[in-house]
Amino acid sequence: HIATSLPLPSERDHLRPRIDLIVFMIDIKSKYSLKNVEASLAHVDTSFFLGKVCFLVTGVGRMNACSIETNAVCKLAEAYCSPVLFCELELEGIRVATAQRLLRMLQICAGHIPGVSALSFVSLMRNSNDN
Amino acid sequence: ENVDPQKTAFLLRKAWTLYSVTPLYRFHRARLGDYARLLSAFIAAEKQKGLAVEVGIELDIRVAVSSLADLRGSEQDQAAVLVQLSLRSQASSRNSEDKLVWLGWFCSVYGDDLSENVPDDFTCLPLFLTHGAESYTSMVGSWFQKTFDCSFRRLAISPLNLSWMVAMWAGCKLDTAVSAVELVFSVPHLSQPLDISYAIHPEDAKALWDTVQKTPGEITQEEVDVFMDCLYAHFHRHFKIHLSAAKLVKVSTAVASAHCDGIVKILHSQYLPGVLMLLTELAMSQIQ
């Protein structure tokens, strides 16, 4: 399911399946996308931040066109205890690899991988980032 | 930092195309006259080869290479090097002057971060500015690359850096700020390209910056963000357009103007060192 901002319209609440993972997409070329994500974060229940939220920064192939400081995104992700992935959607290889990573994360968050919970996975990712 | 305004007046009000340059190997300031002769011969040879095939480009060129002692930041900086290409006057009369057709200069203003980490044989002048036809730039660039084993790259300026520039320059104290602070945005994803120009009265822009900046002489990313957010909010209030989703491509102030393709115009001699320091920093980060 794709949405341009949160909260999702309440009319369809009863039809919506359980949400396992929220990926917030930030376009490095658009300051507006960062502001939009920041505003949308306020509408997310805190339970999601135990491993069911991820930030995806797109457009990193064109740093000459960047309007956002990557530091600011990393600080945001840290504040919300969630991982950040960087990718370039215009390059097919990276696009496919990123999709595969997200799919894997989704499988974990949905509980399809025995022995790995969303929370344990996100703390694993955080430790490897610090190193 | 005592820049003689007379000596640097020729730098003002010209559109300079920016490049970053890696350190020059075995560049000797005592040999500037030799370099001028060698470059001149190189250009004549290019003419023989018929490589510079462009209508209107004359190749009977006189080359002058000189040092600009005043153009530097700290004592560690190398003095700037100026290259001038002039068309030899055809008339035999002594009164006719050579016509200047191309100007290029290498400089470093507070480029200590780079020069500190480089072996002695290398001269660090990371910023290269040119004014004149691209074909001359390419010939001069090729000669320098061959002779000093350096490499040139066009210096692109990101929207993030442009917003730093407009915040800094709009906040500069000027006796007479006659020109508006202008930001030009390009709107992506449209079938027909659309540019939005946002002009602000310079006094309003300076007043806004003064309320945002906490410590005079210091600028933080947060302050630049607040400044830009105020401008975006004001525009959105009036036109319902989110400029923050568009690409900032050019900024203009009474101090200087800059375009994302790496083209800069400096308008005020008082702020020349400040502008060059910023550009030197951008050049260095592109090299490293």
Side-chain angles (χ1 to χ4, degrees):
Chain A
H1 184 85
I2 296 180
T4 53
S5 69
L6 295 179
L8 296 175
S10 52
E11 304 88 62
R12 295 183 60 82
D13 267 346
H14 60 290
L15 295 171
R16 208 169 283 125
R18 183 190 71 203
I19 295 175
D20 291 312
L21 175 67
I22 305 178
V23 179
F24 287 100
M25 295 184 63
I26 299 170
D27 182 359
I28 214 159
K29 303 188 290 297
S30 165
K31 185 86 189 282
Y32 175 72
S33 68
L34 178 60
K35 291 261 173 259
N36 192 17
V37 163
E38 283 171 346
S40 299
L41 280 164
H43 297 281
V44 176
D45 188 79
T46 44
S47 61
F48 277 95
F49 296 107
L50 295 171
K52 299 197 175 185
V53 167
C54 162
F55 295 93
L56 181 65
V57 179
T58 66
V60 299
R62 292 186 194 276
M63 289 309 283
N64 282 339
C66 86
S67 294
I68 301 175
E69 239 207 336
T70 44
N71 226 10
V73 179
C74 291
K75 279 207 189 115
L76 181 70
E78 221 176 277
Y80 283 92
C81 305
S82 300
V84 197
L85 297 182
F86 292 89
C87 78
E88 175 51 76
L89 296 178
E90 287 181 30
L91 296 174
E92 192 184 340
I94 299 182
R95 199 168 62 226
V96 168
T98 306
Q100 286 171 336
R101 282 181 87 178
L102 288 175
L103 206 52
R104 199 67 177 147
M105 284 180 72
L106 180 57
Q107 283 177 316
I108 293 170
C109 291
H112 291 182
I113 311 288
V116 185
S117 73
L119 190 55
S120 63
F121 181 69
V122 84
S123 31
L124 195 68
M125 279 194 82
R126 197 155 3 129
N127 287 336
S128 65
N129 274 345
D130 289 339
N131 296 341
Chain B
E1 260 214 40
N2 298 324
V3 177
D4 180 359
Q6 284 224 318
K7 289 201 190 132
T8 55
F10 75 97
L11 302 175
L12 303 178
R13 287 175 294 278
K14 279 195 177 71
W16 297 102
T17 305
L18 307 176
Y19 297 81
S20 64
V21 191
T22 56
L24 308 171
Y25 183 60
R26 295 218 176 131
F27 175 85
H28 299 295
R29 224 161 267 271
R31 296 195 60 204
L32 293 184
D34 291 340
Y35 295 150
R37 272 189 291 281
L38 290 168
L39 178 53
S40 190
F42 179 79
I43 293 175
E46 293 293 289
K47 179 186 178 182
Q48 294 289 350
K49 278 193 245 175
L51 282 179
V53 185
E54 194 174 309
V55 175
I57 296 297
E58 295 294 330
L59 289 169
D60 196 5
I61 297 288
R62 188 195 300 280
V63 176
V65 182
S66 54
S67 236
L68 291 171
D70 287 342
L71 273 177
R72 65 165 93 196
S74 66
E75 282 307 307
Q76 279 74 44
D77 282 325
Q78 291 281 337
V81 173
L82 176 66
V83 178
Q84 293 172 288
L85 266 50
S86 322
L87 201 53
R88 266 182 230 277
S89 62
Q90 300 301 317
S92 50
S93 139
R94 245 177 275 145
N95 290 335
S96 58
E97 277 180 14
D98 288 348
K99 182 178 159 223
L100 188 63
V101 291
W102 186 93
L103 268 179
W105 50 295
F106 296 83
C107 80
S108 170
V109 179
Y110 293 105
D112 304 341
D113 280 350
L114 185 64
S115 54
E116 272 164 14
N117 299 319
V118 135
D120 287 339
D121 280 343
F122 287 90
T123 304
C124 289
L125 289 164
L127 185 63
F128 184 51
L129 305 92
T130 70
H131 178 81
E134 163 63 31
S135 44
Y136 290 129
T137 305
S138 135
M139 280 193 277
V140 173
S142 300
W143 184 81
F144 270 88
Q145 284 186 157
K146 272 204 275 246
T147 313
F148 303 107
D149 199 25
C150 59
S151 78
F152 293 80
R153 253 179 80 194
R154 274 295 288 266
L155 186 64
I157 308 179
S158 67
L160 194 60
N161 289 323
L162 286 175
S163 55
W164 267 81
M165 289 175 185
V166 75
M168 271 200 318
W169 299 340
C172 285
K173 196 168 178 309
L174 287 176
D175 298 326
T176 50
V178 289
S179 48
V181 170
E182 194 190 348
L183 298 96
V184 180
F185 295 83
S186 145
V187 185
H189 311 311
L190 295 180
S191 52
Q192 294 226 307
L194 177 68
D195 276 356
I196 299 177
S197 164
Y198 182 12
I200 307 151
H201 194 285
E203 278 169 24
D204 291 341
K206 174 143 173 46
L208 174 61
W209 178 247
D210 287 341
T211 63
V212 171
Q213 186 181 29
K214 296 190 198 68
T215 322
E218 265 179 43
I219 303 181
T220 64
Q221 181 64 51
E222 286 79 26
E223 287 166 354
V224 174
D225 286 343
V226 168
F227 179 78
M228 295 302 290
D229 285 344
C230 286
L231 298 182
Y232 292 148
H234 181 84
F235 197 86
H236 182 254
R237 214 173 12 252
H238 288 269
F239 301 104
K240 299 284 174 270
I241 293 177
H242 288 287
L243 286 177
S244 52
K247 181 184 176 193
L248 181 57
V249 295
K250 183 177 175 188
V251 299
S252 267
T253 66
V255 167
S257 69
H259 187 279
C260 61
D261 288 342
I263 299 172
V264 147
K265 214 185 251 193
I266 307 169
L267 302 163
H268 220 272
S269 61
Q270 186 187 348
Y271 292 100
L272 180 62
V275 173
L276 291 180
M277 178 166 88
L278 181 57
L279 297 178
T280 303
E281 206 179 305
L282 286 185
M284 287 195 299
S285 58
Q286 187 166 278
I287 294 170
Q288 287 161 335

